[in-house]
Amino acid sequence: MEKPVFSLIAVSTIDGKIAKHARHMSDWSSKEDKDFLHKMLGKSDVAIVGNNTYEVAQKPLSKRNVIVFTRKVQESLVKSKKLIFINPQNTNIAQFCEKNSYKNIAVLGGAKTFNYFLNQNLVNEIFLTIEPIAFGSGIALFDSGDKTEKFELVSLKKLNKKGTVLLHYRKK
Amino acid sequence: MEKPVFSLIAVSTIDGKIAKHARHMSDWSSKEDKDFLHKMLGKSDVAIVGNNTYEVAQKPLSKRNVIVFTRKVQESLVKSKKLIFINPQNTNIAQFCEKNSYKNIAVLGGAKTFNYFLNQNLVNEIFLTIEPIAFGSGIALFDSGDKTEKFELVSLKKLNKKGTVLLHYRKK
């Protein structure tokens, strides 16, 4: 069986914030970033989101295979053919994806979910969009990671005229 | 008199951290970033640093005009021909620079100093180097800003093979 590839897909500000607060939707990100996200979702076998992110992104994700990370279930709870709730503390997510033949996995956040993958050593790729804006304070991409991880830059692209930038990194 | 131009010059990780902790030196940044910093300092009339940053960067800054931000002085204290300690709470830094004919000002951090310029609406340019590494946790470029600021991307450059990226933004 092929190993799953976990790609973290995030949009951040110049000062590294993915949101102003936990319930802040990405209404500040550019059309070009949203287009890129949809393209990436189209190429992914499943999307993984945390519970908060799922609640704000339920509609755009409704037609896709989705894993929701939550502590509200003991291990896992199948909600529909395309939707499963999983407690990542009690489930081996890499094994779960392998068993379900999920090869390309889009991890969409939020911060807790991103942190989980970093701390579990499961980040294979990062697609980071940087919008030309600064929040001054807010939620970081990672905030409770306990190790330094090196990556290599695969590509670098300017997405629009105002200067939204897309960085693609691969785990070194 | 010409208005001073404040350029924030910072190196961050993919996850937007400028250091792991307050005393963490930028020993993790690339040679290419350090070369860029020296080039920028050569073009600047004065560098502004916070007290912590000054203590770790005293030697490389010894031949330059330096303003150290500190609460240890009431208003300002001239230490030598090239060195002045200023309390930014009690001094108008833009006026001070204008009076001293400082046109190009390199603001080198740390986070408290960067925050000060953001909150005072004094950020004209940001030169942000992003190293291909993630810390997981640490100190952000800004962390106590109270407003959203828009910028435009002036240029985008890959500095080396491993994928250090330099982003130049200008206040919109």
Side-chain angles (χ1 to χ4, degrees):
Chain A
M1 261 190 292
E2 269 189 300
K3 281 229 164 205
V5 175
F6 294 98
S7 296
L8 272 54
I9 304 171
V11 54
S12 92
T13 62
I14 299 170
D15 52 332
K17 309 296 187 286
I18 61 169
K20 282 188 187 180
H21 49 77
R23 296 275 158 177
H24 186 210
M25 279 189 68
S26 59
D27 54 2
W28 51 277
S29 65
S30 59
K31 186 191 169 293
E32 291 77 13
D33 173 64
K34 290 187 175 74
D35 291 347
F36 170 73
L37 175 61
H38 290 140
K39 206 183 78 182
M40 285 298 292
L41 285 173
K43 291 197 272 183
S44 303
D45 301 311
V46 66
I48 299 181
V49 286
N51 200 42
N52 284 348
T53 303
Y54 181 65
E55 279 175 28
V56 292
Q58 211 159 341
K59 215 181 150 194
L61 290 174
S62 62
K63 286 174 187 165
R64 311 204 179 264
N65 289 325
V66 176
I67 297 169
V68 178
F69 273 9
T70 176
R71 282 172 300 182
K72 285 180 194 164
V73 298
Q74 184 58 32
E75 283 186 20
S76 65
L77 178 66
V78 176
K79 299 285 272 187
S80 75
K81 211 178 146 188
K82 288 182 169 291
L83 180 65
I84 185 166
F85 282 30
I86 283 182
N87 186 332
Q89 303 306 328
N90 303 324
T91 309
N92 184 320
I93 190 68
Q95 268 179 20
F96 178 87
C97 288
E98 221 172 313
K99 271 187 199 162
N100 286 275
S101 301
Y102 293 149
K103 168 87 174 87
N104 295 307
I105 296 112
V107 180
L108 307 182
K112 271 188 211 165
T113 302
F114 289 142
N115 274 308
Y116 176 85
F117 282 90
L118 185 74
N119 287 338
Q120 296 287 317
N121 221 349
L122 285 175
V123 181
N124 300 112
E125 316 248 344
I126 298 175
F127 293 88
L128 180 66
T129 301
I130 303 178
E131 297 290 353
I133 194 170
F135 284 166
S137 58
I139 296 171
L141 177 61
F142 302 126
D143 64 5
S144 59
D146 51 16
K147 55 172 163 293
T148 296
E149 292 273 16
K150 286 184 180 174
F151 293 84
E152 56 186 352
L153 186 74
V154 179
S155 68
L156 167 69
K157 210 169 148 185
K158 190 177 157 181
L159 293 187
N160 56 26
K161 214 184 150 200
K162 73 174 175 173
T164 301
V165 169
L166 175 62
L167 302 167
H168 174 194
Y169 294 100
R170 188 166 291 149
K171 179 73 183 292
K172 221 176 168 176
Chain B
M1 263 190 291
E2 268 189 302
K3 280 231 165 204
V5 175
F6 294 98
S7 296
L8 273 54
I9 304 172
V11 53
S12 92
T13 62
I14 300 169
D15 52 332
K17 309 296 187 285
I18 61 168
K20 283 189 186 180
H21 49 79
R23 295 274 159 175
H24 186 209
M25 280 188 65
S26 59
D27 54 2
W28 50 277
S29 66
S30 59
K31 185 191 169 294
E32 291 76 15
D33 173 63
K34 290 187 175 76
D35 291 347
F36 171 74
L37 175 61
H38 291 140
K39 205 183 78 183
M40 285 298 291
L41 285 173
K43 289 196 274 184
S44 302
D45 301 310
V46 65
I48 299 182
V49 286
N51 201 41
N52 285 346
T53 303
Y54 181 64
E55 279 175 27
V56 294
Q58 213 159 341
K59 216 183 147 192
L61 290 174
S62 61
K63 287 175 190 164
R64 310 202 179 267
N65 288 325
V66 177
I67 296 169
V68 178
F69 272 9
T70 175
R71 282 172 300 181
K72 285 179 195 165
V73 298
Q74 184 57 32
E75 283 186 20
S76 65
L77 178 66
V78 176
K79 299 285 272 186
S80 75
K81 210 177 147 188
K82 287 181 170 293
L83 180 64
I84 185 165
F85 282 29
I86 282 181
N87 187 332
Q89 303 307 328
N90 303 324
T91 309
N92 184 319
I93 190 68
Q95 268 180 18
F96 177 87
C97 288
E98 222 171 312
K99 272 187 199 161
N100 285 274
S101 300
Y102 292 149
K103 169 86 174 87
N104 295 306
I105 296 112
V107 180
L108 306 182
K112 271 187 210 164
T113 303
F114 288 143
N115 276 308
Y116 176 85
F117 282 90
L118 185 74
N119 287 338
Q120 296 286 318
N121 222 348
L122 285 176
V123 180
N124 300 111
E125 316 249 344
I126 298 177
F127 293 88
L128 181 67
T129 301
I130 303 178
E131 298 289 353
I133 194 170
F135 284 166
S137 58
I139 296 171
L141 177 61
F142 302 125
D143 64 4
S144 58
D146 50 16
K147 56 172 161 295
T148 296
E149 291 274 18
K150 286 184 181 175
F151 293 84
E152 56 185 352
L153 187 74
V154 179
S155 68
L156 167 68
K157 209 168 149 187
K158 189 177 157 181
L159 293 187
N160 57 25
K161 216 186 147 196
K162 72 174 178 176
T164 301
V165 169
L166 175 63
L167 302 166
H168 174 193
Y169 294 98
R170 188 166 291 149
K171 179 73 182 295
K172 221 177 166 174

